[in-house]
Amino acid sequence: DTGVSQDPRHKITKRGQNVTFRCDPISEHNRLYWYRQTLGQGPEFLTYFQNEAQLEKSRLLSDRFSAERPKGSFSTLEIQRTEQGDSAMYLCASSVTTEQFFGPGTRLTVL
Amino acid sequence: GIQVEQSPPDLILQEGANSTLRCNFSDSVNNLQWFHQNPWGQLINLFYIPSGTKQNGRLSATTVATERYSLLYISSSQTTDSGVYFCAVLGGTSYGKLTFGQGTILTVHP
């Protein structure tokens, strides 16, 4: 049973650059979620897809953030014009019921 | 939105000791999960427990939904139990948003 996978695992970028992360959910999981976790805090919800439809978005997801799940399988999260405050662990989760399973995360460092 | 509070924030144990972690939440929930976050940041599912009691080896959990709290019990702790334990809930009006507590940092010394 393959778990949720995320790529890349680490990303270092300069302020102002755009970055894109990918998440592959567990096979046949139709629900996919993105969270962000900063040091010393619990993860915070960003957005949620059911199949290809984006059903819920947090106010944390500013205009510089966009998430897609074009074919209802993998998802991408893009951050435009990165800022130092975007440095965090970006976690993806998937589910078929309400029990969510998390991937290993992408750690973003903005210099 | 729903509020989640975990206690204690930090816990230091000797190997072999037992412990109880608590999670209080402010509203009715559709889901409650306990996670262990390892040093690499991976969230490991421990329990999916919106109500009732479950056991898995040395770990067990109880959720009393009517009183809005959940407890995670760790018996005969081992050094590999060290890490951060999170409680997360799915509030009654949300379909996808898990709200996490601040976590309990557990350190088990040999």
Side-chain angles (χ1 to χ4, degrees), chain A residues 9 31 33 35 37 40-45 48 56 89 91 97-105 107, chain B residues 30-31 33 35 37 39-43 45 47-48 86 90 93-102:
Chain A
R9 296 291 306 277
R31 302 178 189 183
Y33 315 82
Y35 292 82
Q37 185 178 22
Q41 303 295 316
E44 294 176 292
F45 172 81
Y48 155 54
E56 201 169 345
M89 175 78 91
L91 295 163
T97 62
T98 58
E99 182 179 10
Q100 297 183 22
F101 297 85
F102 282 77
R107 188 173 297 281
Chain B
N30 294 322
N31 171 21
Q33 292 184 246
F35 298 93
Q37 189 164 42
W40 299 272
Q42 173 86 55
L43 284 166
N45 287 44
F47 292 101
Y48 170 73
F86 286 105
L90 187 68
T93 59
S94 174
Y95 296 100
K97 176 184 175 181
L98 275 180
T99 300
F100 283 76
Q102 294 284 71

Side-chain angles (χ1 to χ4, degrees), chain A residues 49-98:
Chain A
F49 290 87
Q50 181 155 326
N51 299 313
E52 65 274 12
Q54 189 172 21
L55 296 185
E56 201 169 345
K57 286 172 60 172
S58 164
R59 281 171 286 185
L60 290 175
L61 214 65
S62 75
D63 291 345
R64 297 184 298 106
F65 288 69
S66 63
E68 295 182 343
R69 195 182 184 200
K71 296 183 180 179
S73 57
F74 71 92
S75 175
T76 57
L77 177 68
E78 181 183 17
I79 308 174
Q80 296 182 328
R81 305 181 303 281
T82 53
E83 302 172 356
Q84 288 186 323
D86 297 331
S87 294
M89 175 78 91
Y90 289 84
L91 295 163
C92 176
S94 72
S95 75
V96 66
T97 62
T98 58

Side-chain angles (χ1 to χ4, degrees), chain A residues 26-47:
Chain A
I26 294 171
S27 179
E28 298 180 359
H29 279 197
N30 62 338
R31 302 178 189 183
L32 188 146
Y33 315 82
W34 286 98
Y35 292 82
R36 180 174 71 184
Q37 185 178 22
T38 53
L39 200 61
Q41 303 295 316
E44 294 176 292
F45 172 81
L46 292 177
T47 192

Side-chain angles (χ1 to χ4, degrees), chain B residues 55-110:
Chain B
Q55 180 154 7
N56 184 3
R58 297 180 296 104
L59 272 59
S60 64
T62 295
T63 297
V64 183
T66 53
E67 297 187 21
R68 299 180 182 168
Y69 73 89
S70 183
L71 302 173
L72 177 68
Y73 304 97
I74 304 174
S75 64
S76 304
S77 57
Q78 301 176 357
T79 55
T80 52
D81 294 331
S82 295
V84 187
Y85 289 80
F86 286 105
C87 165
V89 302
L90 187 68
T93 59
S94 174
Y95 296 100
K97 176 184 175 181
L98 275 180
T99 300
F100 283 76
Q102 294 284 71
T104 292
I105 302 172
L106 175 65
T107 305
V108 181
H109 291 300

Side-chain angles (χ1 to χ4, degrees), chain B residues 3-41:
Chain B
Q3 304 296 314
V4 181
E5 292 184 1
Q6 291 187 241
S7 60
D10 298 275
L11 189 56
I12 300 174
L13 301 174
Q14 287 296 125
E15 202 166 27
N18 303 329
S19 61
T20 301
L21 283 58
R22 186 177 179 101
C23 172
N24 292 334
F25 44 95
S26 61
D27 206 343
S28 60
V29 298
N30 294 322
N31 171 21
L32 187 145
Q33 292 184 246
W34 282 99
F35 298 93
H36 177 212
Q37 189 164 42
N38 66 22
W40 299 272

